[in-house]
Amino acid sequence: NIPKAFAVRDQSDAAKTFGDITGEKGVVIAFVRSAAWCPYCQAQLKDLKKSNGSGANNNGISFNGSE
């Protein structure tokens, strides 16, 4: 079950709910350590972007804290 209060912020700091990131055919969420500096995470996100054969809305969620 998805919590009703599920919310994340996008790269523009806009709040997004689960409904906002879910596509017509579902959603794939990849949780990565950091899209800013982790080469492995960057590769995962590129692969996620390329593998959209299911038609689901692909999303990567990372923690990039403020400095």
Side-chain angles (χ1 to χ4, degrees):
N1 293 333
I2 306 300
K4 291 181 181 180
F6 177 90
V8 293
R9 295 203 169 272
D10 68 10
Q11 61 271 28
S12 301
D13 203 34
K16 300 290 181 181
T17 66
F18 187 74
D20 293 333
I21 65 172
T22 303
E24 189 175 305
K25 294 187 176 184
V27 64
V28 174
I29 301 174
F31 293 91
V32 296
R33 185 172 182 182
S34 175
W37 59 266
C38 175
Y40 176 75
C41 299
Q42 292 169 0
Q44 274 189 317
L45 292 173
K46 286 180 186 176
D47 288 345
L48 181 65
K49 192 173 186 177
K50 288 190 278 186
S51 67
N52 196 11
S54 69
N57 194 6
N58 292 339
N59 291 271
I61 297 176
S62 68
F63 175 77
N64 293 324
S66 58
E67 298 184 27

